[in-house]
Amino acid sequence: MRFDRTTHTALFVGLVLVVAPALGGEYKRPVTPEDLVAIRAVSDAQISPDGKRVAFVVAEPADPKKPKEQPDSNIWIVPADGSEPPRFFVASPKSDTSPRWSPDGRYLAFLSKRGEGAGEAADGDKDKEPKQQLHLIRTDGGEAEPLTKLRGDVEKLRWSPDGKAIAFTARDPKSEEEEKREKARDDAVHVERL
């Protein structure tokens, strides 16, 4: 495994969020399976261009009362020198992931499954779950704005070196026929024979 600045920062932030609360008290009981399930996972640490801040993703533990729901993840920010505690930066009822700083550090692009309304997909179909789309927020505050409204999920993003464009990849949406077959649980593969 290659250890670079991002890896070291991610490990540091992870230790701060997971271990620090335990340091305040005396050892009182053994670790239980419930403790392990309740651990927050820290990932995707991104250092700002000026090196002063770190954006990262915190995945909250799954709710045992709602096992079919995906756990929530939010974007946090912390000063790189540790002078302040980590704080929420981008949070929504749906997962926010993949924070990426603009080259000038004024914006943070990220991926989220926020829909236009509760349960509404990006293409307007209220029966479908919202698709993961590209969003943008100013780092000095404000509301996140959607930059894409595609029928398929946006999966990866990258800023251009001059900060004037964002490249991204998106998964092609399923055709109507594929969706009908999936709903009917028709997963047969038809092969032509000669």
Side-chain angles (χ1 to χ4, degrees), residues 34-41 58-64 69-73:
E34 290 80 14
D35 294 331
L36 296 175
V37 173
I39 292 175
R40 294 169 155 175
V58 176
E60 300 294 335
D63 185 349
E69 286 189 20
Q70 291 289 330
D72 188 23
S73 60

Side-chain angles (χ1 to χ4, degrees), residues 12 23 40 50 63 69 87 96 103 116-117 121 141 150 176 181:
F12 171 75
L23 295 177
R40 294 169 155 175
D50 63 6
D63 185 349
E69 286 189 20
R87 63 178 174 86
D96 299 320
E116 270 67 33
L150 305 173
E176 286 183 35
R181 288 180 61 201

Side-chain angles (χ1 to χ4, degrees), residues 158-180:
R158 186 167 186 163
W159 284 89
S160 64
D162 64 4
K164 293 182 179 180
I166 301 173
F168 62 89
T169 58
R171 184 173 296 274
D172 287 334
K174 293 178 183 173
S175 68
E176 286 183 35
E177 182 182 328
E178 288 171 324
E179 288 181 0
K180 286 178 186 175

Side-chain angles (χ1 to χ4, degrees), residues 11 13 40-41 43 47 61 72 101 108 131 140 142 144 163 174 176 181:
L11 291 172
V13 170
R40 294 169 155 175
S43 64
I47 299 172
D72 188 23
W101 297 94
L108 198 64
K131 300 298 182 188
D140 60 0
K174 293 178 183 173
E176 286 183 35
R181 288 180 61 201

